[in-house]
Amino acid sequence: MGFSLNAEELKDFQPNRYPFLMIDFVTDVEPGKYAKGYKHLSNNEWYFPVHFPGRPNMPGALQLEAMAQMLTVAITTQEGLKGMITHALKHTVRFRKEVLPGESLVIEAYVDSWRRGVCNGHAVGYTNGTVACEAEMMITIPEIFEQYLPKK
């Protein structure tokens, strides 16, 4: 059975903080399986004045970061992983449309596999019910992964 995380509860499972926390609310998470939530994009986001003047949109790198953060929540909500740091190993991303001020980026992230501290997963970001971005990701919890590396 899934549960939700408000902005403060989210911080227990996601190490990023303002201005780099790219999730506002997790609407549903089933640990080790998926996490779903959103980022509301107000006109006051720190990046809109410079990306780009006269035609502001959310930078693609931050869209990817939002999806990776949601996948991190799907992993770190598992038993014993609360508060652990994750690192990116590989991302393949596709951007389908601009994400604009005033929109909400709705994110669904799914764990495809989780073994030895390495997660393969995928995520999709939507605005107004249409796919805006999608990614296949590989992220790790180094503290776990390093236990499986050959000893020197």
Side-chain angles (χ1 to χ4, degrees):
M1 186 71 169
F3 56 93
S4 64
L5 299 168
N6 68 32
E8 286 304 308
E9 294 167 331
L10 171 61
K11 292 176 185 176
D12 291 337
F13 302 98
Q14 175 51 247
N16 291 293
R17 300 293 181 263
Y18 179 84
F20 210 61
L21 181 58
M22 296 290 122
I23 304 170
D24 289 333
F25 196 89
V26 177
T27 56
D28 187 22
V29 60
E30 187 171 333
K33 297 199 187 277
Y34 65 83
K36 301 175 183 180
Y38 57 82
K39 168 72 175 163
H40 288 311
L41 300 164
S42 78
N43 289 309
N44 296 323
E45 298 295 339
W46 58 270
Y47 40 82
F48 283 145
V50 294
H51 196 273
F52 293 99
R55 191 169 169 83
N57 65 81
M58 185 180 193
L62 297 182
Q63 293 174 48
L64 173 59
E65 181 63 27
M67 291 186 288
Q69 288 180 13
M70 194 64 74
L71 185 58
T72 293
V73 170
I75 298 165
T76 59
T77 49
Q78 295 178 92
E79 185 74 28
L81 302 183
K82 184 176 182 177
M84 294 194 112
I85 304 296
T86 61
H87 289 174
L89 293 177
K90 179 181 169 185
H91 295 318
T92 303
V93 63
R94 177 144 188 189
F95 303 103
R96 303 240 179 228
K97 66 178 202 155
E98 291 182 332
V99 178
L100 305 173
E103 294 182 329
S104 292
L105 181 61
V106 177
I107 306 159
E108 297 180 358
Y110 298 90
V111 175
D112 297 327
S113 67
W114 167 251
R115 290 185 26 225
R116 298 182 175 186
V118 177
C119 171
N120 283 293
H122 67 279
V124 181
Y126 302 88
T127 58
N128 303 314
T130 304
V131 175
C133 52
E134 52 194 341
E136 293 179 13
M137 298 172 275
M138 182 186 296
I139 60 178
T140 184
I141 295 179
E143 190 174 330
I144 297 171
F145 178 67
E146 290 168 3
Q147 296 172 19
Y148 296 96
L149 294 176
K151 304 296 180 220
K152 293 182 182 178

